Amino acid sequence: MNFTADAAPSLQPPTGAPRQPLYKSLFFQILVAVVGGVLIGHFWPDTGAALRPLGDGFIQLIKMIIAPLIFLVIVTGIAAVSDVKAVGRVGVKALAYFTAATLFALVFGLVVGNLVQPGAGLNIDPASLSQDALNAKTATAPPKDAGAFILGIIPTSVVGAFAGNSLLQVLCFAVFFGAAIVVVGRERCLPVITLMETVLELFFKIMGWVMRVAPVGAFGAMAFIIGQYGLGSLGTYALLIAACYGAAIVFIGLLFVVAWAYPRVPLWQFMKYTREEFLLALGTASTESVMPRIMTKLTNAGCSRATTGLVVPTGYSFNLDGAALYLSISLLFLAQAFGYNLDLGQQLAALGVLMLTSKGMAGVPGSAFLALSATAGALGIFPVAGVALLLGADRLMDSMRVVVNLLGNCVATFVVAKWEGQFDRAAMLRAFAGGITTAEAATEPASSKVPGGPAVAPEAEPSRPAETLPVETSPARAR
């Protein structure tokens, strides 16, 4: 793969470009919206609770484009790699990393729960509990066993997968479609690839329009959360909240170490680079709201399009580190609240059940309660209805779960891309310095590959030059 040297200057920011006014910054707009939502929800809770449609409407706009966007990113990424075996290796390595990260998060959560003892002394009477509130929270999604979950990844209808926004099913079909393009041959499939690249640009343009109303969505979502649950509920679950957020801070510190030790990613600079996405995820209490943008920025930061397209959507179901921390700490909180002290054997059994029940939680209503209910039923130590104790604290944990889940998936993408030799660190540093991604380009597709022509890219790792191609943010095609 030959890189054209004369394209390098286009990667640098234009000299003398006027600085964007602060009020036009998406980060500033979302920050103001979040603060405004907190104030409205606190001082006028009824009004705040009524603003929920603003947040839900924004998330629905994002969901409108997620499925086709993931499909196009994965297919064009696999076509660019032109190696089915490489795609399989990325998938296996990603699942290996996800399993290790989830297991560590669950074990770490159990350690924190044993040390802090967040539920000790509550002495809850099981007879005072009602199953009704828990049923209302979990009735829409009954728990699945491992076999049903695996079968659920395979779509019975391609149209149904897109219509139902089932991301794992869309990903499954996209992998097959991209592999078919590689096997049939790039030259024969050139019209299809060209069409997909063009459609991908259209979807990123739509995403740019949707992101303009992101502050409105963040304002409505935050106003609803504070108006519905109030800041006063913080005191009721103070020790549990402190344990979860403290564990999250330590876990994020460990992610910093992992990111620097292997792929050599300065995670603090990455968080500054993606500050708008993290703030929006916090404001909407949803990682799905930033999936398209975070995938674009990861690709611009040196991860190949194929790796990003496979790792990020899969991680949204298989690598929920923040949810894993919350589940293990909450399980011990409930056991301690009912006066039970789980021995080592019981905690190991709970660990195994949580490893299974925590998978596929993304996008499922009441998923944390489903996982805890299934674990409580399997252990038989405290009543399943006791999970309803967490109804008041669950939404207060959203910020912790969202940040750890999102950051964990970003680190996973960097690690797997480096592991597979599809990571360009030089491009990452240029992106962090503002040399590749601009405010406009962050919402537009890249054109790192020209169907049937040479690629224009920054320096790639020599080990796999055909696969390390990062996505540029310039909308112009290479000539």
Side-chain angles (χ1 to χ4, degrees):
M1 184 73 64
N2 295 322
F3 300 141
T4 55
D6 57 348
S10 65
L11 299 176
Q12 301 302 324
T15 57
R19 187 177 182 86
Q20 185 184 44
L22 182 62
Y23 68 88
K24 289 187 177 181
S25 166
L26 183 61
F27 176 80
F28 177 76
Q29 292 172 1
I30 295 175
L31 180 61
V32 171
V34 169
V35 173
V38 171
L39 294 176
I40 293 293
H42 179 63
F43 292 105
W44 299 279
D46 292 338
T47 302
L51 293 176
R52 179 175 184 174
L54 295 179
D56 290 350
F58 172 73
I59 293 176
Q60 284 182 224
L61 285 173
I62 293 292
K63 287 183 176 181
M64 173 182 71
I65 62 174
I66 280 182
L69 190 64
I70 287 176
F71 173 77
L72 292 169
V73 167
I74 293 176
V75 171
T76 54
I78 293 175
V81 172
S82 299
D83 187 351
V84 177
K85 292 183 179 179
V87 175
R89 287 196 303 269
V90 169
V92 171
K93 290 175 180 178
L95 290 177
Y97 178 90
F98 294 160
T99 302
T102 302
L103 180 61
F104 179 81
L106 288 171
V107 171
F108 182 64
L110 290 176
V111 171
V112 172
N114 281 294
L115 292 176
V116 178
Q117 299 278 314
L122 292 182
N123 300 319
I124 303 297
D125 181 9
S128 64
L129 300 174
S130 171
Q131 185 77 25
D132 295 338
L134 183 62
N135 289 341
K137 189 75 174 178
T138 61
T140 56
K144 298 179 179 180
D145 57 30
F149 174 73
I150 293 174
L151 289 176
I153 298 175
I154 305 172
T156 55
S157 166
V158 173
V159 176
F162 281 92
N165 229 20
S166 177
L167 300 187
L168 287 180
Q169 293 185 0
V170 171
L171 186 147
C172 177
F173 175 66
V175 170
F176 276 102
F177 198 97
I181 289 178
V182 173
V183 173
V184 171
R186 182 179 180 84
E187 293 301 322
R188 290 183 61 188
C189 297
L190 193 56
V192 176
I193 297 173
T194 305
L195 175 62
M196 286 190 166
E197 291 278 359
T198 303
V199 175
L200 185 60
E201 291 187 18
L202 297 178
F203 271 100
F204 272 94
K205 178 59 69 177
I206 294 172
M207 186 180 72
W209 294 339
V210 171
M211 290 308 300
R212 293 182 182 180
V213 299
V216 178
F219 171 76
M222 187 56 67
F224 164 73
I225 292 173
I226 302 301
Q228 183 75 18
Y229 299 97
L231 296 175
S233 55
L234 291 172
T236 308
Y237 302 94
L239 197 54
L240 174 62
I241 293 171
C244 289
Y245 277 85
I249 292 172
V250 175
F251 192 87
I252 289 173
L254 295 175
L255 289 177
F256 271 73
V257 174
V258 171
W260 181 252
Y262 183 56
R264 307 291 290 177
V265 175
L267 209 55
W268 178 249
Q269 292 186 34
F270 174 75
M271 294 187 71
K272 289 174 62 179
Y273 170 63
T274 55
R275 59 187 180 275
E276 294 172 352
E277 288 71 29
F278 275 90
L279 185 59
L280 178 59
L282 280 172
T284 59
S286 170
T287 53
E288 283 188 347
S289 63
V290 298
M291 182 192 286
R293 277 179 64 100
I294 208 71
M295 289 173 65
T296 302
K297 286 201 168 181
L298 283 167
T299 309
N300 294 338
C303 300
S304 73
R305 184 187 292 184
T307 300
T308 303
L310 286 170
V311 174
V312 174
T314 309
Y316 268 52
S317 286
F318 287 93
N319 189 43
L320 302 173
D321 298 331
L325 285 173
Y326 170 66
L327 288 175
S328 53
I329 295 175
S330 296
L331 180 70
L332 290 184
F333 166 80
L334 292 172
Q336 294 159 6
F338 289 107
Y340 297 101
N341 288 316
L342 304 185
D343 58 30
L344 180 60
Q346 291 171 319
Q347 293 192 33
L348 291 177
L351 183 66
V353 176
L354 287 174
M355 276 293 292
L356 296 176
T357 57
S358 63
K359 300 304 179 185
M361 286 174 55
V364 178
S367 54
F369 296 98
L370 287 168
L372 287 171
S373 299
T375 307
L379 295 177
I381 298 175
F382 57 86
V384 174
V387 178
L389 286 175
L390 294 171
L391 288 172
D394 185 66
R395 290 306 294 262
L396 301 175
M397 304 296 184
D398 280 342
S399 298
M400 178 273 290
R401 288 194 297 248
V402 162
V403 171
V404 178
N405 287 346
L406 186 58
L407 190 60
N409 280 317
C410 292
V411 172
T413 306
F414 282 118
V415 169
V416 174
K418 174 68 175 179
W419 192 357
E420 184 57 21
Q422 297 187 22
F423 175 56
D424 186 349
R425 190 170 187 273
M428 175 200 72
L429 294 176
R430 283 194 291 272
F432 290 176
I436 293 180
T437 301
T438 63
E440 179 182 0
T443 60
E444 294 187 4
S447 49
S448 61
K449 285 277 188 178
V450 180
V456 180
E459 306 165 317
E461 291 186 358
S463 58
R464 294 180 190 270
E467 302 174 16
T468 56
L469 209 55
V471 175
E472 298 174 13
T473 62
S474 172
R477 298 272 182 188
R479 294 290 190 266

